[in-house]
Amino acid sequence: MIEGSNRLLTLKPAFLAQWMTLDGKDNRLVQAKLDLLLKDPVADQKTKKRLQHFDGKIHRIRAGDYRIFYVFDEKYVSVLGLDRKDDDTYDAVPASDFLGGLDYQSPAPAEPQNRARKVDKASSKPSGTPLPRPVTKGILEALKVDAKHHRALVGIATEEELFGCESVPEEIRLLVSEALTNRPLEVAGRQPDLVVANPDDLFRYQEGELLGFLLKLDPDQERFVSWALNSKGPTLVKGAPGTGKSTVALYRVKAILDRLLANGVEKPRVLFTTYTNALVSVSEQLLEQLLGDRASLIEVRTADSLVTLIASRAGHKMAIASGEEQLHALAMARQKVELGGNKVEQAAQAQALSRLAPEYMLEELNGVIDARGIDTLEVYLAAARPGRKLALGPLQRKAVWALRTTWNSELAASGKRTFSQTRMKAAEVVAEGKGPPPYDAVVVDEAQDLDPVVLGMLVRLCAEPNRLFLTADADQSIYGSGFRWSDVHASLKFQGRTGILRRNHRSTARIGKAARSYLGGGALDEDKPEEVYVHEGDHPPVVARASEPDSEARLLARFCRAAAKELHLTLGSCAILAPSRDCGRAIAERLKNLGVSATFMDSKSLDLRQPGVKVITLQAAKGLEFPAVALAGFGESTFPSLKPDSSLEARLEALARARRTVFVGMTRAMRLLLVTTPGGDNPVLEGFDPALWHEVKAGQGGN
C-alpha cells in the first residue's frame, strides 16, 4: 500500500497483459499514475475525468499516450483497462448499470468475432479490424515470444492479419491478441480482481519474480477474516469449491499476526499448512505480498512435510513402503498370523480375513486404524468407522487387529514403514512434549484430507486454541475412507465457531449445479448450504463419448482451441485432468502430434507459468483452477482400480471416493467444462443429468 493512502489497488488480468507490452518509459509512466490514483482517485476534470455515459461510475486518467480506466470507493482503486488516447473503444460501449471491479454481478460476454480470414500482410493499406498498435519486436520480447516467430509477426496491424498468420502457433497469436486488443469494459469486468499491495510489484511480476497476485475478498469472505478471533476455541470455515476458502485463510494469517503483534508478542511464529507441494511456493509469495517483511514470521509447508521433519528429528526416520511392498508384507502376514480364542473362534476369524480383499484390508489398516491413531484393540473395538460400508463385528475386528500386529512386524523386519505409521509416530512425539515448540498460531487449509491423527498433532502444536483456524469441504475429500464433520466437532469443539461460505466465485452456475448433481448422494457433508454463483455462465458443461484414444485427442484439441478463442485467452488457460500419470502423459503426447502445445505435469513439477495446455492428474489438480477444463483418459485406465474379488462394500466405497475425485476435477473449471467418456459400463461415468449437461453423441465431437 502506498504511504499515506488508505486504499488498495486491484487490477483486471486484461490490464496486466496490456501493461506488460508497454516499453520501459510507458510502463513506468502508467505505474506512476497508479501511485497517483492510490493517493487521490477523485476526478479533477483535467488529467482525471469521470465518464458521464457510464453513469459516472467509471473514470479515466491520462498517462502519456494512454488512458487508464478505473473505479474506486473508500477501500479500493480498481483498474479495468488501458488504451491509447485516440482509441474510442471504451467510450463507445454503453453500460448503464456496470460497476467494474466493485461489482460482483457481471454482464454477459460479447459475442466472439470471426477472425479466421487471411489478409495479405504486404498490402500497403491493411484492411480489417485495426489493432490499437502494430506488433513490434519490443512487444514480442516483452511477451517472451520465441524469436523464430518475430519475422512473421512484426508489422502486423489488424486482427485479421494476426489470426491469419498460420505459420505462428495459435497460442502465440492469442497471447499477442490478449495484450494488444482492447476488451469492452463489460468483458474485462467479468475477470477477477487482483490485489496489488504496491504498484512496484508489477515490475517484479514482469521479471518473473512473482507467480501471481492475491484475489480481492468479497464482503462474505471478508467477515470471516477476523471472525471469532476473540473466542476461546478454534474456528472452522466450510465452503464448496470456488468459495474462496484458501484466500480467506491467507488473509486470516494477517489478522492473527496483527493481533499477536498488538498483544506484545515480538516475534510470533505462525504455521500455515497447505494441501500440496505445488501450492507452497504460491502461498509463500502471496503472503509476502500481503505481509511484506513480516512474511518471514510465517512457516508455510504441507502437513506431511512437518510430519516427516518431526519424525526424523526424533529418530524415527525409516524408508516408506510402497503399495506393492505393503501388499507383499500383508500376504506374508496372512500366512503367519496367530489368531486368538478357541478353535471355533479361530476358524471364524480366519474365514472373516479371507473375505476381505488385500486392498480393502490396507485401507482399514492405514485409513481407519493408523489414520485415527488407534493404538489398542480395546479402542478399535469401540471405534466408529465413518465411510466404511462393510460392517465389522467384534470377532472380525479381533482378526484384523491380530493381522495388523503381524503385518507391522513384517514391515519392520524389512526396514520399512507406511506413511500412516510415520504420522502416528510424529503425533506421539508431539503428544509426549518432545516435538518442536508450539506455534503462536496455526492456520490449516483444506483440512478434510488430513488424517485425524495429524489434525490432533496440529492442535497440540498451537499454543492457544483460539489461534487455530481451519478451512475444509468434506465433499472434496479424495483420500482416506471417509470424512464426517461430527468427528471434527467432537475432537476440536467448533461449536458456535463454524462459518459457511456460500458465494462461488470460481465456476459458473451451470458448471457448479451440474457438478453437484453428478455427485448426488455421494456428498459427505450433512449440512451443505445452497450455493450462490457470481457468474451464471453462457455454456452448459459437455459430456462427450470418444471410444478411441485418437478420437478423444482430436476432441480435446478442438475443445482447447475453441475455448481459448471463446474466452479470448491463450491455450495456457486450458487444463486436461486425467485419472493417472500414464494416461496424462499419453494425452499430452497425442495433443502434441495434433499441433497443440501440451505438457504433462505431476504435483512436484507443476508450473502454472508453463505455456500451452496443462495435463495433470485429477489428484494433483486439487486446489487449482483453470478457465477451461476437460476430464479425459478414462478409457485407458481402471478408475477406480478394483480387484475381481473385491466385496460389494469395497466396490461401493471405492466408487464413492472416485466420484468425489471426479467432482473435485469438475469444480476446477471456471467457465468451460468437458468430460469425455469411452462408453461401456463404468459407474463413475454415469449420472449426467441431461437437463444440466449437453451430451455429444459418438462421432460428433471426436472426429
Side-chain angles (χ1 to χ4, degrees):
M1 185 182 294
I2 297 297
E3 185 176 353
S5 170
N6 293 322
R7 293 184 175 91
L8 284 172
L9 178 68
T10 72
L11 308 174
K12 296 294 183 182
F15 168 86
L16 192 58
Q18 293 168 326
W19 180 84
M20 290 277 287
T21 67
L22 302 182
D23 60 30
K25 177 182 177 181
D26 285 332
N27 62 19
R28 289 194 176 276
L29 177 59
V30 170
Q31 185 262 359
K33 294 296 183 178
L34 298 182
D35 284 345
L36 177 63
L37 290 179
L38 282 177
K39 294 175 182 177
D40 182 14
V42 178
D44 57 16
Q45 299 308 314
K46 295 179 181 178
T47 59
K48 293 174 288 186
K49 183 179 178 182
R50 185 170 61 185
L51 305 184
Q52 298 298 326
H53 52 276
F54 284 100
D55 287 348
K57 295 168 183 173
I58 295 181
H59 296 64
R60 65 106 173 112
I61 184 173
R62 294 177 180 174
D65 292 334
Y66 296 91
R67 297 181 298 182
I68 303 168
F69 293 86
Y70 68 96
V71 292
F72 69 93
D73 61 15
E74 294 181 356
K75 295 184 64 175
Y76 296 97
V77 173
S78 298
V79 179
L80 308 176
L82 178 73
D83 76 344
R84 281 185 175 272
K85 285 194 301 183
D86 58 355
D87 191 327
D88 294 328
T89 300
Y90 290 112
D91 290 343
V93 179
S96 60
D97 60 350
F98 181 60
L99 296 177
L102 306 182
D103 184 26
Y104 296 109
Q105 298 295 332
S106 300
E111 288 296 322
Q113 298 177 358
N114 181 5
R115 297 167 167 167
R117 184 170 60 89
K118 290 186 179 181
V119 177
D120 183 7
K121 183 180 175 182
S123 172
S124 59
K125 293 184 179 181
S127 61
T129 306
L131 295 169
R133 51 195 165 122
V135 179
T136 65
K137 181 179 179 181
I139 289 173
L140 298 178
E141 289 176 343
L143 295 174
K144 298 180 175 55
V145 173
D146 194 312
K148 67 183 180 181
H149 300 303
H150 287 192
R151 182 176 180 181
L153 292 171
V154 169
I156 283 179
T158 69
E159 290 188 15
E160 286 78 8
E161 284 184 281
L162 178 60
F163 284 94
C165 188
E166 296 182 353
S167 63
V168 176
E170 186 176 31
E171 64 179 273
I172 294 178
R173 288 177 277 160
L174 287 166
L175 176 64
V176 175
S177 173
E178 168 77 11
L180 294 182
T181 304
N182 289 324
R183 294 166 176 258
L185 288 179
E186 286 90 344
V187 176
R190 292 173 59 86
Q191 297 183 322
D193 289 299
L194 308 175
V195 178
V196 181
N198 191 311
D200 288 339
D201 284 344
L202 289 171
F203 294 103
R204 295 181 60 204
Y205 180 81
Q206 187 179 44
E207 295 300 319
E209 294 180 20
L210 288 181
L211 297 177
F213 295 97
L214 278 165
L215 293 175
K216 176 186 172 185
L217 295 173
D218 74 11
D220 288 343
Q221 296 166 338
E222 195 167 14
R223 74 186 185 94
F224 287 119
V225 170
S226 57
W227 180 63
L229 269 179
N230 295 322
S231 64
K232 296 182 179 180
T235 304
L236 169 69
V237 169
K238 302 195 303 182
T243 52
K245 299 183 299 298
S246 297
T247 301
V248 170
L250 291 168
Y251 281 93
R252 180 75 171 202
V253 170
K254 180 179 184 301
I256 291 174
L257 189 61
D258 289 343
R259 181 65 57 90
L260 289 170
L261 292 170
N263 290 341
V265 181
E266 293 185 5
K267 291 185 177 180
R269 296 172 61 247
V270 178
L271 173 67
F272 180 88
T273 70
T274 188
Y275 178 69
T276 64
N277 290 318
L279 294 175
V280 169
S281 59
V282 174
S283 299
E284 286 176 333
Q285 288 203 353
L286 293 177
L287 286 169
E288 179 187 338
Q289 295 176 45
L290 189 61
L291 302 173
D293 293 340
R294 296 185 301 167
S296 61
L297 301 173
I298 315 301
E299 183 177 334
V300 183
R301 57 167 65 243
T302 64
D304 275 346
S305 71
L306 183 60
V307 162
T308 301
L309 179 65
I310 292 172
S312 177
R313 287 181 176 176
H316 296 294
K317 188 174 182 179
M318 190 178 290
I320 302 300
S322 67
E324 294 271 339
E325 290 170 329
Q326 292 183 45
L327 286 170
H328 176 72
L330 187 62
M332 298 299 296
R334 284 180 182 270
Q335 298 176 17
K336 299 179 181 180
V337 62
E338 296 183 3
L339 302 172
N342 57 42
K343 291 184 178 181
V344 174
E345 291 174 331
Q346 291 175 10
Q349 291 179 62
Q351 185 179 27
L353 291 179
S354 68
R355 292 177 176 174
L356 297 175
E359 289 76 15
Y360 192 86
M361 181 64 75
L362 282 186
E363 290 177 358
E364 185 74 15
L365 300 176
N366 287 317
V368 176
I369 297 176
D370 291 347
R372 289 160 175 77
I374 298 173
D375 55 3
T376 68
L377 173 59
E378 289 70 27
V379 175
Y380 181 48
L381 289 172
R385 299 167 61 250
R388 301 294 269 177
K389 298 183 182 298
L390 178 60
L392 296 180
L395 193 67
Q396 294 165 308
R397 295 195 189 200
K398 288 178 181 179
V400 170
W401 192 262
L403 183 64
R404 174 182 182 267
T405 302
T406 309
W407 179 62
N408 285 345
S409 298
E410 288 293 317
L411 287 172
S414 66
K416 298 292 180 70
R417 173 191 291 150
T418 69
F419 206 89
S420 294
Q421 292 169 346
T422 301
R423 293 181 182 124
M424 282 188 69
K425 288 294 183 183
E428 289 172 6
V429 169
V430 172
E432 293 168 358
K434 300 177 182 178
Y439 295 90
D440 294 292
V442 174
V443 175
V444 181
D445 193 25
E446 301 284 9
Q448 71 276 353
D449 276 315
L450 295 181
D451 287 348
V453 70
V454 176
L455 281 174
M457 182 190 78
L458 293 174
V459 170
R460 291 187 176 93
L461 285 174
C462 189
E464 297 292 338
N466 66 327
R467 298 176 193 162
L468 178 65
F469 180 83
L470 297 90
T471 73
D473 176 16
D475 291 336
Q476 293 190 69
S477 176
I478 61 177
Y479 296 114
S481 60
F483 183 92
R484 297 290 183 188
W485 282 115
S486 57
D487 295 341
V488 179
H489 282 214
S491 61
L492 296 178
K493 296 181 172 56
F494 287 119
Q495 292 90 339
R497 295 181 302 278
T498 299
I500 300 176
L501 290 168
R502 294 178 170 84
R503 185 184 291 271
N504 189 319
H505 292 264
R506 177 190 297 152
S507 303
T508 65
R510 287 188 164 189
I511 291 174
K513 292 175 181 178
R516 181 64 58 187
S517 171
Y518 162 84
L519 184 61
L524 291 178
D525 196 339
E526 299 168 347
D527 183 29
K528 177 65 66 178
E530 184 176 352
E531 294 177 60
V532 177
Y533 295 90
V534 173
H535 304 290
E536 178 60 30
D538 303 291
H539 305 284
V542 176
V543 57
R545 180 175 176 177
S547 57
E548 298 295 333
D550 288 342
S551 63
E552 180 182 64
R554 290 192 293 271
L555 175 62
L556 293 173
R558 289 180 57 194
F559 170 76
C560 291
R561 286 167 173 156
K565 288 184 177 180
E566 170 71 15
L567 300 174
H568 302 282
L569 297 172
T570 69
L571 287 175
S573 65
C574 302
I576 297 174
L577 312 184
S580 70
R581 291 184 178 90
D582 289 343
C583 292
R585 293 188 183 97
I587 288 172
E589 192 62 31
R590 292 189 191 103
L591 288 176
K592 290 178 185 177
N593 293 337
L594 292 170
V596 176
S597 176
T599 305
F600 174 76
M601 307 173 186
D602 58 24
S603 60
K604 294 182 179 179
S605 63
L606 188 63
D607 183 2
L608 299 181
R609 294 170 295 182
Q610 175 80 21
V613 177
K614 282 80 174 169
V615 185
I616 56 183
T617 64
L618 285 163
Q619 289 82 358
K622 194 168 171 60
L624 304 178
E625 61 182 30
F626 301 91
V629 169
L631 277 61
F634 296 101
E636 297 180 274
S637 70
T638 53
F639 182 78
S641 179
L642 293 172
K643 298 296 182 182
D645 59 347
S646 297
S647 67
L648 174 62
E649 292 82 3
R651 295 180 67 85
L652 290 175
E653 284 183 38
L655 173 60
R657 187 161 54 248
R659 290 182 70 88
R660 289 199 301 273
T661 303
V662 171
F663 169 75
V664 170
M666 291 175 177
T667 56
R668 302 308 93 195
M670 300 169 68
R671 294 293 178 269
L672 299 172
L673 172 63
L674 166 70
V675 178
T676 70
T677 70
D681 295 327
N682 186 340
V684 174
L685 300 175
E686 297 175 354
F688 298 98
D689 185 342
L692 299 172
W693 292 82
H694 175 65
E695 183 177 359
V696 176
K697 302 294 183 181
Q700 285 182 267
N703 297 310

